């Protein structure tokens, strides 16, 4: 069997391990657009803080590819020829496959702000290369502007705060982490992050950039030396356009199969069923990506495995304050505010979702 896996992150690694549970001898080729051993993306902010090294960021041991008898190619997939079961790479090489996994992840969704082309030092914060490029321009005198107060923007702020002169985060929403926190919880986290030296400007947007100056919708101007755009992500679905069913993400079933025979998909580029609300959505979470990939790998190799337990869950820490959220915020709620902020959402005597800020030791029970 010839297995081709496009993507070298959690879903791709899960697929390798899933394949090897069933097929010890088939040929596995991994196509990686980043020239690195597989690494854990959530750790890039800790790399800038100096809490981890590149070596410690590795998602699997150094001998992972050799141990699993994989071929790793550093290239980008340019086209999938599904009819002839071939993948064309930008290097000019063509790979034939019996089973194909597309685990291409997501990319930064950059809003086309007026004047953005005039900004010299502008960055995303999605990958190891992004972190390295940002780090290369930072000094102790740098003023950094981050557009986006979601998880990516705030982890970037944490990673660089102690290395620069100032960090300002702006967002159109009226609170930080608007996708995962309610107003009361967001206020607690914002005050904690502000105490570490990060500045926030909320309920405003950038009207225009002019080189190192941002004009905001409230008339205020902010001068900066480096700009980080953390305005959301988009799933990388282009390889399967016109081949498999795609909504916002690539549509897969509980076996990680797409609508096209012998092509599977997993991770942040896919839509999956959120069992906490019964809706299909993109759940861009590392544990889900791994389990979808493992499921794909087992089934690619002729085994039987289903992944039916996907739920939205976020676990993060900012300057020592820990947060875990999970599920859907529907039904009635009960709130406890003390050393730990705890909000539970329930209906029909069932827990639908929760927010924990502070002491998160009991999160596993919930």
């Amino acid at each position: 069997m010839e297995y081709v896996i496009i993507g070298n992150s959690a879903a791709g690694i899960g697929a390798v391990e899933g394949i090897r549970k069933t097929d010890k001898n088939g040929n596995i080729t991994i196509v990686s657009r980043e020239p690195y051993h597989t690494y854990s993306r959530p750790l890039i902010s800790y790399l800038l803080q100096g809490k981890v090294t590149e070596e410690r960021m590795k998602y699997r041991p150094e001998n992972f590819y050799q141990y699993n008898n994989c071929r790793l190619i550093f290239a980008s997939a340019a086209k999938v020829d599904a009819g002839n079961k071939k993948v064309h790479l930008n290097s000019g090489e063509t790979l034939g496959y019996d089973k194909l996994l597309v685990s291409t992840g997501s990319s930064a969704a950059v809003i086309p702000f007026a004047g953005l082309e005039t900004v010299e030092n502008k960055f995303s914060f999605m990958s190891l290369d992004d972190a390295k490029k940002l780090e290369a321009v930072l000094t102790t005198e740098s003023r950094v502007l981050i557009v986006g107060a979601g998880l990516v923007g705030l982890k970037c702020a944490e990673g660089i705060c102690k290395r620069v002169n100032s960090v300002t985060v702006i967002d159109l929403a009226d609170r930080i982490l608007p996708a995962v926190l309610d107003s009361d919880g967001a206020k607690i986290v914002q005050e904690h992050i502000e105490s570490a030296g990060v500045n926030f400007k909320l309920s405003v947007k950038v009207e225009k950039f002019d080189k190192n100056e941002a004009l905001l919708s409230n008339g205020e101007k902010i001068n900066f030396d480096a700009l980080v755009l953390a305005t959301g992500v988009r799933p990388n679905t282009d390889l399967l356009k016109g081949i498999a069913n795609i909504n916002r993400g690539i549509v897969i079933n509980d076996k990680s199969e797409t609508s096209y025979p012998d092509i599977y998909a997993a991770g942040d580029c896919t839509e999956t069923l959120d069992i906490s609300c019964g809706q299909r959505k993109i759940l861009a979470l590392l544990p889900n990506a791994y389990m979808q990939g493992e499921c794909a790998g087992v089934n690619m190799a002729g085994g039987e495995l289903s992944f039916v337990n996907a739920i939205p869950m976020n676990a993060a820490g900012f300057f020592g304050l820990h947060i875990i959220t999970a599920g859907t915020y529907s039904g009635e709620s009960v709130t406890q505010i003390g050393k730990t902020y705890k909000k539970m959402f329930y209906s029909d005597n069932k827990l639908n979702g929760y927010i924990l800020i502070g002491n998160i030791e009991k999160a596993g029970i919930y």
Side-chain angles (χ1 to χ4, degrees):
M1 289 289 287
E2 292 287 346
Y3 305 100
V4 173
I5 297 170
I6 304 174
N8 187 34
S9 198
I13 299 308
V16 170
E17 294 176 342
I19 289 169
R20 286 296 180 237
K21 286 180 179 180
T22 305
D23 182 351
K24 305 296 184 186
N25 301 312
N27 296 320
I28 301 175
T29 301
I30 303 172
V31 179
S32 174
R33 63 192 166 112
E34 294 184 84
Y36 303 114
H37 187 283
T38 184
Y39 67 92
S40 181
R41 291 178 185 276
L43 295 181
I44 61 174
S45 64
Y46 296 109
L47 180 71
L48 294 187
Q49 280 181 281
K51 286 187 174 182
V52 300
T53 61
E54 281 192 49
E55 185 65 28
R56 289 187 60 198
M57 288 177 66
K58 289 181 178 176
Y59 188 53
R60 286 296 184 269
E62 183 66 37
N63 69 346
F64 172 82
Y65 305 102
Q66 181 180 8
Y67 178 80
N68 287 285
N69 192 22
C70 298
R71 178 189 178 202
L72 177 62
I73 299 175
F74 294 130
S76 293
K79 180 184 177 183
V80 173
D81 179 355
N84 293 306
K85 288 196 166 185
K86 295 183 184 298
V87 176
H88 298 277
L89 307 184
N90 64 353
S91 63
E93 185 174 357
T94 299
L95 304 174
Y97 67 84
D98 294 306
K99 305 286 183 178
L100 171 67
L101 174 69
V102 175
S103 53
T104 44
S106 57
S107 301
V110 178
I111 297 173
F113 293 105
L116 185 59
E117 71 280 359
T118 69
V119 180
E120 180 180 358
N121 291 324
K122 52 181 180 284
F123 308 91
S124 298
F125 199 70
M126 295 280 292
S127 68
L128 179 54
D129 276 342
D130 291 340
K132 287 182 173 183
K133 290 174 184 176
L134 176 60
E135 184 176 40
V137 306
L138 296 181
T139 72
T140 55
E141 300 302 314
S142 295
R143 301 159 299 173
V144 180
L145 175 63
I146 299 174
V147 181
L151 286 166
V152 172
L154 296 189
K155 289 308 292 184
C156 179
E158 180 187 40
I160 66 176
C161 184
K162 303 303 180 185
R163 302 184 55 171
V164 297
N165 179 271
S166 67
V167 176
T168 300
V169 181
I170 71 172
D171 202 294
L172 183 58
D174 63 354
R175 64 185 187 274
I176 68 171
L177 298 170
V180 296
L181 293 181
D182 65 340
S183 296
D184 291 335
K187 183 179 179 182
I188 292 169
V189 178
Q190 180 179 336
E191 290 176 352
H192 179 80
I193 296 176
E194 285 174 334
S195 72
V198 177
N199 307 301
F200 288 98
K201 296 185 183 297
L202 304 175
S203 299
V204 295
K205 64 179 180 178
V206 175
E207 294 287 359
K208 182 181 179 181
F209 288 106
D210 184 9
K211 296 182 180 178
N212 283 21
E213 182 180 81
L215 173 63
L216 305 187
S217 54
N218 61 2
E220 187 175 355
K221 293 180 179 179
I222 298 178
N223 293 306
F224 59 88
D225 302 298
L227 172 67
V228 178
L229 298 168
T231 49
V233 299
R234 59 172 182 82
N236 296 325
T237 62
D238 287 353
L239 279 177
L240 293 186
K241 279 186 178 176
I243 298 172
N245 290 339
I246 298 172
N247 292 326
R248 278 196 63 220
I250 301 166
V251 178
I252 58 173
N253 62 16
D254 60 10
K255 297 184 182 299
S256 293
E257 296 170 321
T258 71
S259 59
Y260 199 94
D262 297 327
I263 298 181
Y264 296 72
D268 295 6
C269 61
T270 68
E271 284 186 359
T272 189
L273 179 66
D274 172 1
I275 63 169
S276 70
C277 67
Q279 297 176 354
R280 296 191 66 84
K281 58 177 67 171
I282 294 169
L283 295 175
L285 306 167
L286 190 149
N288 280 343
Y290 176 82
M291 289 184 282
Q292 282 179 340
E294 180 188 37
C295 175
V298 169
N299 291 308
M300 289 164 75
E304 278 287 331
L305 186 63
S306 295
F307 176 52
V308 294
N309 294 320
I311 61 168
M313 182 178 74
N314 288 285
F318 300 101
F319 301 99
L321 180 66
H322 296 285
I323 304 166
I324 287 189
T325 67
T328 183
Y329 304 159
S330 62
E332 299 181 74
S333 65
V334 58
T335 305
Q336 173 186 320
I337 302 178
K339 290 186 177 179
T340 297
Y341 177 82
K342 181 189 299 184
K343 191 166 188 175
M344 301 290 180
F345 300 85
Y346 64 94
S347 59
D348 301 323
N349 204 32
K350 180 184 69 175
L351 183 65
N352 297 326
Y354 64 83
I355 299 170
L356 289 180
I357 302 171
N359 185 343
I360 58 172
E361 290 180 4
K362 305 294 188 197
I365 295 172
Y366 302 130

